mmCIF file with all atom_site columns, all heavy atoms in Angstrom:
data_model
loop_
_atom_site.group_PDB
_atom_site.id
_atom_site.type_symbol
_atom_site.label_atom_id
_atom_site.label_alt_id
_atom_site.label_comp_id
_atom_site.label_asym_id
_atom_site.label_entity_id
_atom_site.label_seq_id
_atom_site.pdbx_PDB_ins_code
_atom_site.Cartn_x
_atom_site.Cartn_y
_atom_site.Cartn_z
_atom_site.occupancy
_atom_site.B_iso_or_equiv
_atom_site.pdbx_formal_charge
_atom_site.auth_seq_id
_atom_site.auth_comp_id
_atom_site.auth_asym_id
_atom_site.auth_atom_id
_atom_site.pdbx_PDB_model_num
ATOM   1   N N   . GLY A 1 180 ? 78.900 -115.839 114.154 1.00 97.00 ? 386 GLY A N   1
ATOM   2   C CA  . GLY A 1 180 ? 79.019 -117.293 114.047 1.00 97.00 ? 386 GLY A CA  1
ATOM   3   C C   . GLY A 1 180 ? 79.266 -117.951 115.398 1.00 97.00 ? 386 GLY A C   1
ATOM   4   O O   . GLY A 1 180 ? 79.642 -117.293 116.383 1.00 97.00 ? 386 GLY A O   1
ATOM   5   N N   . THR A 1 181 ? 79.060 -119.259 115.430 1.00 98.00 ? 387 THR A N   1
ATOM   6   C CA  . THR A 1 181 ? 79.232 -120.024 116.661 1.00 98.00 ? 387 THR A CA  1
ATOM   7   C C   . THR A 1 181 ? 80.697 -120.065 117.072 1.00 98.00 ? 387 THR A C   1
ATOM   8   O O   . THR A 1 181 ? 81.029 -120.081 118.257 1.00 98.00 ? 387 THR A O   1
ATOM   9   C CB  . THR A 1 181 ? 78.716 -121.469 116.445 1.00 98.00 ? 387 THR A CB  1
ATOM   10  O OG1 . THR A 1 181 ? 77.467 -121.408 115.755 1.00 98.00 ? 387 THR A OG1 1
ATOM   11  C CG2 . THR A 1 181 ? 78.522 -122.184 117.754 1.00 98.00 ? 387 THR A CG2 1
ATOM   12  N N   . GLN A 1 182 ? 81.577 -120.092 116.083 1.00 97.00 ? 388 GLN A N   1
ATOM   13  C CA  . GLN A 1 182 ? 83.013 -120.141 116.388 1.00 97.00 ? 388 GLN A CA  1
ATOM   14  C C   . GLN A 1 182 ? 83.439 -118.892 117.162 1.00 97.00 ? 388 GLN A C   1
ATOM   15  O O   . GLN A 1 182 ? 84.191 -118.954 118.130 1.00 97.00 ? 388 GLN A O   1
ATOM   16  C CB  . GLN A 1 182 ? 83.794 -120.256 115.068 1.00 97.00 ? 388 GLN A CB  1
ATOM   17  C CG  . GLN A 1 182 ? 85.285 -120.390 115.235 1.00 97.00 ? 388 GLN A CG  1
ATOM   18  C CD  . GLN A 1 182 ? 85.689 -121.729 115.848 1.00 97.00 ? 388 GLN A CD  1
ATOM   19  O OE1 . GLN A 1 182 ? 84.961 -122.715 115.745 1.00 97.00 ? 388 GLN A OE1 1
ATOM   20  N NE2 . GLN A 1 182 ? 86.842 -121.767 116.486 1.00 97.00 ? 388 GLN A NE2 1
ATOM   21  N N   . TYR A 1 206 ? 85.015 -131.239 117.341 1.00 96.00 ? 412 TYR A N   1
ATOM   22  C CA  . TYR A 1 206 ? 85.073 -130.292 116.235 1.00 96.00 ? 412 TYR A CA  1
ATOM   23  C C   . TYR A 1 206 ? 86.460 -129.631 116.203 1.00 96.00 ? 412 TYR A C   1
ATOM   24  O O   . TYR A 1 206 ? 86.869 -128.991 117.175 1.00 96.00 ? 412 TYR A O   1
ATOM   25  C CB  . TYR A 1 206 ? 83.965 -129.260 116.453 1.00 96.00 ? 412 TYR A CB  1
ATOM   26  C CG  . TYR A 1 206 ? 83.937 -128.138 115.463 1.00 96.00 ? 412 TYR A CG  1
ATOM   27  C CD1 . TYR A 1 206 ? 83.871 -128.396 114.098 1.00 96.00 ? 412 TYR A CD1 1
ATOM   28  C CD2 . TYR A 1 206 ? 83.962 -126.818 115.884 1.00 96.00 ? 412 TYR A CD2 1
ATOM   29  C CE1 . TYR A 1 206 ? 83.846 -127.359 113.186 1.00 96.00 ? 412 TYR A CE1 1
ATOM   30  C CE2 . TYR A 1 206 ? 83.924 -125.779 114.984 1.00 96.00 ? 412 TYR A CE2 1
ATOM   31  C CZ  . TYR A 1 206 ? 83.878 -126.053 113.634 1.00 96.00 ? 412 TYR A CZ  1
ATOM   32  O OH  . TYR A 1 206 ? 83.861 -125.028 112.738 1.00 96.00 ? 412 TYR A OH  1
ATOM   33  N N   . ILE A 1 250 ? 79.096 -131.192 122.580 1.00 98.00 ? 456 ILE A N   1
ATOM   34  C CA  . ILE A 1 250 ? 78.161 -130.999 121.456 1.00 98.00 ? 456 ILE A CA  1
ATOM   35  C C   . ILE A 1 250 ? 77.072 -132.068 121.598 1.00 98.00 ? 456 ILE A C   1
ATOM   36  O O   . ILE A 1 250 ? 77.152 -133.136 120.983 1.00 98.00 ? 456 ILE A O   1
ATOM   37  C CB  . ILE A 1 250 ? 78.891 -131.155 120.096 1.00 98.00 ? 456 ILE A CB  1
ATOM   38  C CG1 . ILE A 1 250 ? 80.203 -130.359 120.084 1.00 98.00 ? 456 ILE A CG1 1
ATOM   39  C CG2 . ILE A 1 250 ? 77.982 -130.723 118.940 1.00 98.00 ? 456 ILE A CG2 1
ATOM   40  C CD1 . ILE A 1 250 ? 81.103 -130.650 118.874 1.00 98.00 ? 456 ILE A CD1 1
ATOM   41  N N   . ASN A 1 255 ? 79.224 -133.278 116.186 1.00 97.00 ? 461 ASN A N   1
ATOM   42  C CA  . ASN A 1 255 ? 80.137 -133.235 115.044 1.00 97.00 ? 461 ASN A CA  1
ATOM   43  C C   . ASN A 1 255 ? 81.473 -133.808 115.511 1.00 97.00 ? 461 ASN A C   1
ATOM   44  O O   . ASN A 1 255 ? 82.085 -133.232 116.424 1.00 97.00 ? 461 ASN A O   1
ATOM   45  C CB  . ASN A 1 255 ? 80.311 -131.788 114.581 1.00 97.00 ? 461 ASN A CB  1
ATOM   46  C CG  . ASN A 1 255 ? 81.215 -131.667 113.371 1.00 97.00 ? 461 ASN A CG  1
ATOM   47  O OD1 . ASN A 1 255 ? 81.687 -132.660 112.822 1.00 97.00 ? 461 ASN A OD1 1
ATOM   48  N ND2 . ASN A 1 255 ? 81.457 -130.432 112.949 1.00 97.00 ? 461 ASN A ND2 1
ATOM   49  N N   . ASP A 1 283 ? 77.553 -126.619 122.727 1.00 98.00 ? 489 ASP A N   1
ATOM   50  C CA  . ASP A 1 283 ? 77.486 -126.161 121.332 1.00 98.00 ? 489 ASP A CA  1
ATOM   51  C C   . ASP A 1 283 ? 76.271 -126.801 120.664 1.00 98.00 ? 489 ASP A C   1
ATOM   52  O O   . ASP A 1 283 ? 76.221 -128.014 120.461 1.00 98.00 ? 489 ASP A O   1
ATOM   53  C CB  . ASP A 1 283 ? 78.795 -126.568 120.627 1.00 98.00 ? 489 ASP A CB  1
ATOM   54  C CG  . ASP A 1 283 ? 78.899 -126.003 119.223 1.00 98.00 ? 489 ASP A CG  1
ATOM   55  O OD1 . ASP A 1 283 ? 77.861 -125.794 118.583 1.00 98.00 ? 489 ASP A OD1 1
ATOM   56  O OD2 . ASP A 1 283 ? 80.037 -125.789 118.758 1.00 98.00 ? 489 ASP A OD2 1
ATOM   57  N N   . SER A 1 285 ? 75.062 -126.264 117.602 1.00 98.00 ? 491 SER A N   1
ATOM   58  C CA  . SER A 1 285 ? 75.072 -125.940 116.175 1.00 98.00 ? 491 SER A CA  1
ATOM   59  C C   . SER A 1 285 ? 74.055 -126.735 115.351 1.00 98.00 ? 491 SER A C   1
ATOM   60  O O   . SER A 1 285 ? 73.548 -126.250 114.346 1.00 98.00 ? 491 SER A O   1
ATOM   61  C CB  . SER A 1 285 ? 76.465 -126.224 115.589 1.00 98.00 ? 491 SER A CB  1
ATOM   62  O OG  . SER A 1 285 ? 77.371 -125.236 115.990 1.00 98.00 ? 491 SER A OG  1
ATOM   63  N N   . PHE A 1 286 ? 73.790 -127.984 115.777 1.00 98.00 ? 492 PHE A N   1
ATOM   64  C CA  . PHE A 1 286 ? 72.970 -128.867 114.922 1.00 98.00 ? 492 PHE A CA  1
ATOM   65  C C   . PHE A 1 286 ? 71.581 -129.127 115.488 1.00 98.00 ? 492 PHE A C   1
ATOM   66  O O   . PHE A 1 286 ? 70.890 -130.024 115.022 1.00 98.00 ? 492 PHE A O   1
ATOM   67  C CB  . PHE A 1 286 ? 73.713 -130.200 114.727 1.00 98.00 ? 492 PHE A CB  1
ATOM   68  C CG  . PHE A 1 286 ? 75.046 -130.008 114.075 1.00 98.00 ? 492 PHE A CG  1
ATOM   69  C CD1 . PHE A 1 286 ? 76.201 -129.900 114.834 1.00 98.00 ? 492 PHE A CD1 1
ATOM   70  C CD2 . PHE A 1 286 ? 75.154 -129.883 112.704 1.00 98.00 ? 492 PHE A CD2 1
ATOM   71  C CE1 . PHE A 1 286 ? 77.435 -129.689 114.244 1.00 98.00 ? 492 PHE A CE1 1
ATOM   72  C CE2 . PHE A 1 286 ? 76.380 -129.669 112.095 1.00 98.00 ? 492 PHE A CE2 1
ATOM   73  C CZ  . PHE A 1 286 ? 77.528 -129.571 112.864 1.00 98.00 ? 492 PHE A CZ  1
ATOM   74  N N   . SER A 1 316 ? 74.496 -121.212 110.891 1.00 97.00 ? 522 SER A N   1
ATOM   75  C CA  . SER A 1 316 ? 75.292 -121.773 109.797 1.00 97.00 ? 522 SER A CA  1
ATOM   76  C C   . SER A 1 316 ? 74.769 -123.106 109.286 1.00 97.00 ? 522 SER A C   1
ATOM   77  O O   . SER A 1 316 ? 74.803 -123.362 108.087 1.00 97.00 ? 522 SER A O   1
ATOM   78  C CB  . SER A 1 316 ? 76.740 -121.959 110.239 1.00 97.00 ? 522 SER A CB  1
ATOM   79  O OG  . SER A 1 316 ? 77.335 -120.706 110.441 1.00 97.00 ? 522 SER A OG  1
ATOM   80  N N   . LYS A 1 317 ? 74.320 -123.973 110.163 1.00 96.00 ? 523 LYS A N   1
ATOM   81  C CA  . LYS A 1 317 ? 73.964 -125.322 109.714 1.00 96.00 ? 523 LYS A CA  1
ATOM   82  C C   . LYS A 1 317 ? 72.550 -125.374 109.129 1.00 96.00 ? 523 LYS A C   1
ATOM   83  O O   . LYS A 1 317 ? 72.382 -125.855 108.019 1.00 96.00 ? 523 LYS A O   1
ATOM   84  C CB  . LYS A 1 317 ? 74.148 -126.318 110.857 1.00 96.00 ? 523 LYS A CB  1
ATOM   85  C CG  . LYS A 1 317 ? 75.580 -126.347 111.365 1.00 96.00 ? 523 LYS A CG  1
ATOM   86  C CD  . LYS A 1 317 ? 76.582 -126.666 110.257 1.00 96.00 ? 523 LYS A CD  1
ATOM   87  C CE  . LYS A 1 317 ? 77.976 -126.255 110.647 1.00 96.00 ? 523 LYS A CE  1
ATOM   88  N NZ  . LYS A 1 317 ? 79.021 -126.719 109.738 1.00 96.00 ? 523 LYS A NZ  1
ATOM   89  N N   . ARG A 1 324 ? 77.294 -115.721 108.770 1.00 97.00 ? 530 ARG A N   1
ATOM   90  C CA  . ARG A 1 324 ? 78.126 -115.472 109.951 1.00 97.00 ? 530 ARG A CA  1
ATOM   91  C C   . ARG A 1 324 ? 77.291 -114.908 111.107 1.00 97.00 ? 530 ARG A C   1
ATOM   92  O O   . ARG A 1 324 ? 77.631 -113.888 111.701 1.00 97.00 ? 530 ARG A O   1
ATOM   93  C CB  . ARG A 1 324 ? 79.314 -114.529 109.651 1.00 97.00 ? 530 ARG A CB  1
ATOM   94  C CG  . ARG A 1 324 ? 80.196 -114.912 108.514 1.00 97.00 ? 530 ARG A CG  1
ATOM   95  C CD  . ARG A 1 324 ? 80.687 -116.346 108.563 1.00 97.00 ? 530 ARG A CD  1
ATOM   96  N NE  . ARG A 1 324 ? 81.331 -116.715 109.798 1.00 97.00 ? 530 ARG A NE  1
ATOM   97  C CZ  . ARG A 1 324 ? 81.075 -117.864 110.447 1.00 97.00 ? 530 ARG A CZ  1
ATOM   98  N NH1 . ARG A 1 324 ? 80.204 -118.740 109.992 1.00 97.00 ? 530 ARG A NH1 1
ATOM   99  N NH2 . ARG A 1 324 ? 81.696 -118.124 111.567 1.00 97.00 ? 530 ARG A NH2 1
HETATM 100 C C1  . PLP B 2 .   ? 80.180 -128.092 116.380 1.00 57.56 ? 183 PLP B C1  1
HETATM 101 C C2  . PLP B 2 .   ? 80.410 -126.837 115.596 1.00 57.56 ? 183 PLP B C2  1
HETATM 102 N N1  . PLP B 2 .   ? 80.592 -125.688 116.245 1.00 57.56 ? 183 PLP B N1  1
HETATM 103 C C3  . PLP B 2 .   ? 80.820 -124.546 115.594 1.00 57.56 ? 183 PLP B C3  1
HETATM 104 C C4  . PLP B 2 .   ? 80.874 -124.511 114.228 1.00 57.56 ? 183 PLP B C4  1
HETATM 105 C C5  . PLP B 2 .   ? 81.157 -123.206 113.550 1.00 57.56 ? 183 PLP B C5  1
HETATM 106 O O1  . PLP B 2 .   ? 79.949 -122.650 113.182 1.00 57.56 ? 183 PLP B O1  1
HETATM 107 P P1  . PLP B 2 .   ? 79.802 -121.145 112.670 1.00 57.56 ? 183 PLP B P1  1
HETATM 108 O O2  . PLP B 2 .   ? 79.815 -121.217 111.189 1.00 57.56 ? 183 PLP B O2  1
HETATM 109 O O3  . PLP B 2 .   ? 78.434 -120.771 113.211 1.00 57.56 ? 183 PLP B O3  1
HETATM 110 O O4  . PLP B 2 .   ? 80.883 -120.325 113.249 1.00 57.56 ? 183 PLP B O4  1
HETATM 111 C C6  . PLP B 2 .   ? 80.679 -125.683 113.497 1.00 57.56 ? 183 PLP B C6  1
HETATM 112 C C7  . PLP B 2 .   ? 80.768 -125.679 112.039 1.00 57.56 ? 183 PLP B C7  1
HETATM 113 O O5  . PLP B 2 .   ? 80.982 -126.711 111.423 1.00 57.56 ? 183 PLP B O5  1
HETATM 114 C C8  . PLP B 2 .   ? 80.448 -126.885 114.207 1.00 57.56 ? 183 PLP B C8  1
HETATM 115 O O6  . PLP B 2 .   ? 80.286 -128.035 113.570 1.00 57.56 ? 183 PLP B O6  1
#
Side-chain angles (χ1 to χ4, degrees):
T387 316
Q388 183 69 25
Y412 175 55
I456 313 170
N461 182 3
D489 187 331
S491 286
F492 300 95
S522 292
K523 301 303 161 171
R530 307 309 307 135

